[in-house]
Amino acid sequence: MDTEERLNIASRPVEEQASFASVSMREGFSEWLKNGNARKYSAEVILSCMDRISDYAVRKKISMRSLWKYQDFNTFKPIYNKLEEAKLLRITDRNTYKIFVLAGKLYLCFLEEKPWKAVVTDNNASDEEGNIEALVEQVLKDVPALIPQDVVPEETDASFQAPLVKQLVFRKEVDWSLLNNGFTVPQTAVDAFCSNVNGEVLCGNSRPITLLVGDIDYTVTLSNVGFSGDLQKQLQVSYSASSPIAAMFRRIFKLSYDYFAEREKSGSGSGQAESKEYAEVVSISPDKYGLICLPLSKGAQDESSNYPSSPDTLPLEYTQQHSGYGNKYDLLKFWLRENNSDSIQMTFSEIAELVGGLPPSAYKHRAYWSNSDSHPFAVAWMAAGYKVVECDLQSEVVRFCRGDVRNAYTRTRRTTVKEALIEFSNNYKGEVKTRGEIIEKISVEYGHNENSILPADYEIGLSNRQPKLFKRIDHGTYLCLGYDTAQTGITALSRTQIDGYSLISVDEKSKVIGIVADKFKNGFRMSSSIDFERFKNYYADEYGKDFQYDAERLHYVLSNEALVFDDRAYVYSEDLSDTVRVYLEQMNSPCIYIDAFYNKFSDELYAFTIFSVDMLRAFIEKNYYDISVKWDYILLQEGTSPSDLIKDVFSERETWSFDELQERLPCLKMDTIRQTLNGAEYYRVDKGTYTHIDNMDLPESEGLKIIAFVGGKLQERDYVTANELDLSKFMNLNPHCSFAAVRDAVFYKFLSNSYDKSGQVITRKGGKLRVLDILEQYCREADAVSFDEINAFEATFDPEGRTHSQCLIAGHNTMVRVSSDLFVSDGNVDFDVARIDEAIALYCHGNFIPLRGVTDFSLFPYAGYQWNLFLLESYVRRFSHVFKYDVRAVNSANIGAIVRKSFEYSDYDDILAYALAKSSVRLSDKEAVGDYLFNNGYIGWRNLGKSESKIIKSARELREGTV
């Protein structure tokens, strides 16, 4: 019996635990069947069927665990229902499915009856209690990470047993979403999860629930994001990236966070950490769930405890359980890293108080103060990102004893001038600072030399048109702009413009903005002299004096303080900025197609004087520094893209249709979804239905065999066909996928780094070959080849052995077809081009004739083979100086036309229109039109398909002489 099963049993009533402490569910079910409960099939057949179905359920992610681990009727019933509705199982293994329909019902009866209760008697109650205690001890020994150590006292009491009553709902691998936004409840765990929710969460609705991490409660949002008409619930637990719970997860799962952050930085996607960390969700009470963190690093587990938010004292339980400086330094390191404000500069006395006092020897050697120090406290301090400052040891010790201690340690997160300037300008955005103030602040707080601060690269001027950090508004005076990560929206200003802006006082600017906001609701027209005169009148009425600046100065103020769009300046209140942000958050998506957002809130935005999508884009870029607009998407969260959202949806289930994705992700553009599904990681499994490569079972062991096979084949020749690969095991493991999807996924995962693929043909990198290329090479190397031979060769490139006329194209491109069944090399024929063209001209009096129009070859000079329509087609295709061959599609039925090279036309449909125009056929009779073209050898079918109306219309215009 494994640990999970023991935990499950330990959470049951005592009478249920006693029996199943030593007897597994499979054994209990077997005994129950043998006691006269087996029906139609023997107990052995039923158990064998349940074993196979259990493996199938886990493999298909219908269940996260073996069916034998379900010991509750209500928990197993939803799993049984899903398996009963599994159409693929019913089709691929009908006999097993048929047995399971009965076997599953019997197991439900078994769970409902709970026959193990009968073995419990009052006489052995004391023994049972001993068994339970032993079982609990064994469980804790097996899985210590499941129960936080800080809540387990040394004595076994009620508080000790409390964690054991938490019911495991599901286990989740740590991914980028968990560390930033939340997680999706797997379909196999939805019923168990909902059983702990007060009331039903309807489609499109949400409600707050509580997550307990360590001993801290966090409020999060539970949403049902299923689309209308879908009976399945699709539950998501969400929180913001800046929330305390997200920060806690990033601390606990630091290994995964560092891995994902590096991948995001390199642009290689989120993916999954090679060394996986996990979190287990357990139910505690209605609307409350516990999240047990299982990081790889034990230090990370310790960090999930509730550490102090100030350096005054250590946690009592920590000092009771641990001794020695090492543990105290670990705690200090954690505290320093989490409280990373630049204002934290601690004195020696504060340090000593925090760690409970330092031994006198700590102050007696200079190494303690150097960067090369090996003392554990200094190591912890430096590892937390702080710099150890060199100082005079003797004077520092004396000052420490007096209690007059200067700060000896400073935070040094910013290692470059640029980082310091970015933080400084963002902190003082909108404020005017002198060069001296900036130098003093950065040199003191960030440790940079005066000469390295404010180089020309970080100023705005005529020679630097890129948006930077500061704008020089006077000699030695700068306006802090903040760092524009999108590098848009700030333009270069001339010396006059800068002076003009700086000469207007702050009070005067405030008056200007107030009048524009109040009197020009629909915008101030920058180029309008009428609006400027209106502004001056409003100013004089409001303040009893004339506006003393010209229009150009007013424009400078508005260019910086207002949103200028389409020659109009708009002033918006801060409340509007907050309101639009609320609307954005209501979309419940970190990526929002800007058109979709505008259309949803168009009435509200119009009332706010935001009249178009482009104006909305300008508004966002002007008012938010944490929100950007890229690729027509509003990005509320840095590092998130529409493709990330689509990939996250595919983690909910294996396949999605395009229509379902549209309904599931209404904030995304349809073209974005379509383009993403055409990417290398997505594969079509049916018409309009796709899967992601992560949802395909592609074992490495089989992949290595494929790699070895391809490498060996390419030693023998220049290509390998996908038909030659043994994909049978991959197909068996992915019955929901088509052959083409499996083939392409196997190539992408195992071969794409070293090889190229074109259709079915795999070659070395840079040596792409088409099937047509291979067929043409085959023909060039042959003196003669039959149609059947080359057709059969083409069939080897198709998974189903079909041909697509590529062999005919290859034959016509490289050889001469002398009969219906034979192609020969050019050296086997001898064409007298001039005489043959003269003979063709006797038949082609106009610009073209159908190939079948040549009915007599008596005037054609002998060319090595007897003349026929196949030989004539080959000649016209490649050798004639006067004529060329044209046809809708290559064929073996002598369909097509001989056309003079001097005749100008667009495509073969024009030939058909001219042929109809010259004929006497009634154009209003579509059947007659089709018969005429078919009987004369212009087309191979009696209808013209989609081009019929266009061709008949052109023919009619030619007859009437209107073209």
Side-chain angles (χ1 to χ4, degrees), residues 386-398:
Y386 288 77
K387 181 174 70 176
V388 179
V389 179
E390 292 285 355
C391 60
D392 181 80
L393 175 65
Q394 185 174 1
S395 63
E396 285 299 332
V397 172
V398 171

Side-chain angles (χ1 to χ4, degrees), residues 783-946:
D783 186 61
V785 61
S786 70
F787 171 77
D788 290 340
E789 181 182 351
I790 192 173
N791 191 58
F793 185 40
E794 183 190 350
T796 62
F797 294 92
D798 188 86
E800 299 178 6
R802 298 175 298 182
T803 57
H804 307 276
S805 301
Q806 295 292 296
C807 60
L808 285 178
I809 297 173
H812 283 304
N813 287 347
T814 58
M815 306 184 83
V816 178
R817 191 174 189 181
V818 297
S819 68
S820 63
D821 189 52
L822 185 63
F823 290 85
V824 299
S825 63
D826 293 357
N828 290 317
V829 294
D830 182 17
F831 290 123
D832 186 338
V833 175
R835 290 180 60 193
I836 296 172
D837 282 348
E838 289 175 1
I840 295 174
L842 295 174
Y843 291 94
C844 186
H845 302 294
N847 291 318
F848 61 87
I849 58 170
L851 179 65
R852 293 180 184 176
V854 180
T855 56
D856 184 7
F857 295 99
S858 59
L859 297 178
F860 283 69
Y862 184 68
Y865 288 87
Q866 184 177 353
W867 278 99
N868 55 51
L869 292 178
F870 294 104
L871 182 58
L872 177 61
E873 179 183 339
S874 283
Y875 168 79
V876 177
R877 278 181 178 275
R878 296 178 51 218
F879 299 96
S880 176
H881 293 166
V882 179
F883 302 96
K884 63 181 180 180
Y885 182 78
D886 202 354
V887 70
R888 272 185 166 182
V890 66
N891 61 87
S892 292
N894 305 130
I895 302 298
I898 300 172
V899 187
R900 288 186 181 273
K901 291 183 178 179
S902 59
F903 180 48
E904 295 183 1
Y905 64 100
S906 298
D907 53 33
Y908 191 69
D909 284 353
D910 287 350
I911 298 289
L912 301 180
Y914 276 102
L916 288 171
K918 292 191 301 180
S919 72
S920 59
V921 67
R922 228 166 13 107
L923 298 179
S924 59
D925 187 346
K926 294 183 179 180
E927 184 176 346
V929 167
D931 288 342
Y932 173 81
L933 295 175
F934 176 78
N935 293 332
N936 284 276
Y938 285 106
I939 59 176
W941 302 91
R942 292 185 182 274
N943 63 75
L944 294 171
K946 296 179 179 179

Side-chain angles (χ1 to χ4, degrees), residues 448-497:
H448 290 295
N449 184 275
E450 174 181 347
N451 296 327
S452 67
I453 299 173
L454 287 181
D457 286 346
Y458 296 102
E459 301 174 7
I460 287 184
L462 291 176
S463 61
N464 181 18
R465 307 188 73 85
Q466 290 295 323
K468 298 298 180 183
L469 306 174
F470 304 90
K471 177 163 61 183
R472 187 174 58 190
I473 59 176
D474 201 356
H475 180 70
T477 307
Y478 296 85
L479 176 66
C480 298
L481 298 173
Y483 188 58
D484 185 1
T485 55
Q487 294 193 342
T488 58
I490 304 176
T491 57
L493 300 176
S494 66
R495 177 77 252 176
T496 303
Q497 289 172 323

